[in-house]
Amino acid sequence: MKKLYIVMLITVGLYSCSATNHVYISVQQPSPVTLPPGMKDVGIINRSLVTEKNKALDIVDKVISLEGDSLDAQASQAGIIGLADELIKNNRFTNVTAFLNLNLRSNVPGQFPSPLAWDVVDQICKEKHVDALFSLELFDTDSKISYVAVPISVKTPLGNIPGVEHHASMLTIVKTGWRIYDPVNRLILDEYPITRSITLSGKGINPVAAAGAIINRKEAVKDVSRKTGQDYAYRLVPYWIKVTRDYYVRGTNNFSIAKRKAQTGNWNGAAELWKKETTSSSGKIAGRACYNMAIICEINGQLDKAIEWAQKAYENYNNKLALRYVNILKQRRESNSLLNYQQEN
């Protein structure tokens, strides 16, 4: 499976009039969805198509928005295939199977339906020999066309004459909604909507011709739908974010030198100077130094040591930034525990 990440970036903002500078570091987050360890064989189903009973209302909406039921069927299937392709790339799963022929329907066009009954989920999982179901619960497209008349110059045998060319722009919104059913624990592990949009254009001598000039629309909708399936699969993948940390650059000569070392990327050299100041007779200086030691420990991935230094900065020296930082670091440690659990299972 494709891995989501933000390349690690560590830079320093220059704020000469401030006691602190900023450092930006990358932090890996656990995936939004955690699956039980025994979930190895999974199936994918499509219950987004509307029941015959409720199709009349949906047909009216499709006519108004220039949609067709056949397009939704093809595009929703593309979304299923997109999800399956990405899940297959994930080494976590032994088997991934898309069940495209199950006649499962929704009774609420354009909305998340009520969850499947658990006896239905159990029956499908037992018959298909899967541990869980990924389900496309909602699929809906809504299109709107706008027109504009543009003055042009038309070449004729008698010379150029003024004319009008009609431009059509079609905005299509593709709405999808996904659920993951865990039949063993009878839990819905995730419920998540994904919306994407595409804009296509065409031009002609009149509005009808302009609309007719919009080509490859069906393929564009199917392509976007496939990507929504791929995007949903990424909810099972850890990702990276960039966070900001403040560190002290003023107080003593050692802080000034350490600032310059940090600016060149020599963080360990800066840490050697900060550590010298942790035993300063000045509580203010010692608190700042302890706080900075917490920062360098986090940069080096030593969260437990970072928490110890931040706690010391607050408890012993009443450094105001340190208390909030302790809570941030503890949250990071909890996230890392979840991340390790996900990677092990």
Side-chain angles (χ1 to χ4, degrees):
M1 177 180 286
K2 178 180 178 181
K3 294 185 178 180
L4 301 182
Y5 66 93
I6 297 175
V7 177
M8 178 174 284
L9 173 65
I10 299 181
T11 60
V12 178
L14 302 180
Y15 301 94
S16 59
C17 295
S18 172
T20 62
N21 273 5
H22 296 321
V23 57
Y24 300 94
I25 64 174
S26 65
V27 173
Q28 191 174 31
Q29 297 291 97
S31 62
V33 179
T34 300
L35 302 181
M39 198 172 282
K40 299 298 182 181
D41 300 322
V42 297
I44 309 174
I45 60 175
N46 183 4
R47 64 177 300 227
S48 65
L49 299 181
V50 181
T51 61
E52 294 296 330
K53 178 180 178 181
N54 294 278
K55 188 175 288 186
L57 177 62
D58 195 40
I59 289 175
V60 172
D61 177 67
K62 297 303 179 189
V63 170
I64 293 174
S65 62
L66 307 176
E67 300 300 331
D69 186 59
S70 62
L71 174 58
D72 278 6
Q74 295 174 39
S76 63
Q77 182 169 318
I80 296 291
I81 294 172
L83 173 61
D85 288 344
E86 288 302 316
L87 292 183
I88 289 171
K89 297 175 185 177
N90 190 335
N91 294 329
R92 189 196 184 287
F93 300 108
T94 304
N95 293 295
V96 177
T97 309
F99 304 120
L100 300 176
N101 296 322
L102 294 180
N103 188 26
L104 299 169
R105 297 272 174 164
S106 169
N107 55 9
V108 283
Q111 301 177 41
F112 259 110
S114 299
L116 284 169
W118 285 111
D119 58 344
V120 174
V121 175
D122 289 338
Q123 181 180 356
I124 295 173
C125 290
K126 289 177 182 178
E127 290 181 355
K128 303 299 183 180
H129 305 289
V130 294
D131 304 317
L133 292 178
F134 286 69
S135 177
L136 177 58
E137 305 269 306
L138 159 66
F139 187 92
D140 189 56
T141 54
D142 184 22
S143 294
K144 293 180 174 60
I145 289 186
S146 59
Y147 298 95
V148 60
V150 179
I152 61 171
S153 179
V154 181
K155 291 183 179 180
T156 72
L158 300 177
N160 293 340
I161 62 173
V164 174
E165 185 175 68
H166 293 265
H167 291 199
S169 179
M170 177 181 289
L171 172 65
T172 299
I173 306 296
V174 179
K175 296 191 299 182
T176 63
W178 304 83
R179 285 191 179 115
I180 303 175
Y181 293 90
D182 175 3
V184 175
N185 299 298
R186 297 215 159 190
L187 292 174
I188 295 176
L189 300 178
D190 192 39
E191 180 178 295
Y192 192 72
I194 298 177
T195 300
R196 297 289 183 267
S197 64
I198 51 176
T199 301
L200 301 171
S201 60
K203 56 187 178 181
I205 60 174
N206 56 51
V208 175
I214 297 174
I215 61 175
N216 297 326
R217 177 175 165 276
K218 286 188 177 181
E219 290 305 314
V221 172
K222 288 163 63 176
D223 186 56
V224 168
S225 302
R226 184 174 60 255
K227 289 178 179 177
T228 64
Q230 294 171 339
D231 289 345
Y232 186 64
Y234 299 153
R235 286 181 59 75
L236 305 180
V237 181
Y239 61 99
W240 294 87
I241 61 174
K242 188 170 68 175
V243 298
T244 304
R245 301 289 187 251
D246 292 326
Y247 66 98
Y248 289 100
V249 296
R250 298 176 65 185
T252 67
N253 190 47
N254 277 337
F255 276 93
S256 298
I257 299 173
K259 170 187 172 182
R260 295 195 293 272
K261 288 182 180 291
Q263 287 173 325
T264 64
N266 184 8
W267 289 95
N268 290 331
E272 291 176 2
L273 297 175
W274 292 333
K275 192 169 185 179
K276 291 180 180 180
E277 298 293 354
T278 60
T279 57
S280 171
S281 58
S282 167
K284 181 178 180 180
I285 297 299
R288 288 185 174 187
C290 290
Y291 175 88
N292 280 8
M293 290 301 297
I295 294 289
I296 190 61
C297 286
E298 184 186 16
I299 290 174
N300 290 334
Q302 302 169 314
L303 289 184
D304 288 338
K305 287 186 176 181
I307 291 172
E308 291 176 7
W309 280 113
Q311 285 178 325
K312 186 174 182 180
Y314 179 71
E315 294 173 3
N316 294 4
Y317 304 109
N318 195 29
N319 183 280
K320 302 301 183 184
L321 291 181
L323 178 59
R324 178 174 175 270
Y325 191 33
V326 167
N327 294 327
I328 290 173
L329 291 169
K330 287 182 177 180
Q331 290 173 358
R332 271 210 64 196
R333 187 167 61 182
E334 291 178 4
S335 293
N336 277 6
S337 296
L338 177 57
L339 180 62
N340 291 336
Y341 172 83
Q342 292 176 342
Q343 292 174 338
E344 291 169 0
N345 295 287

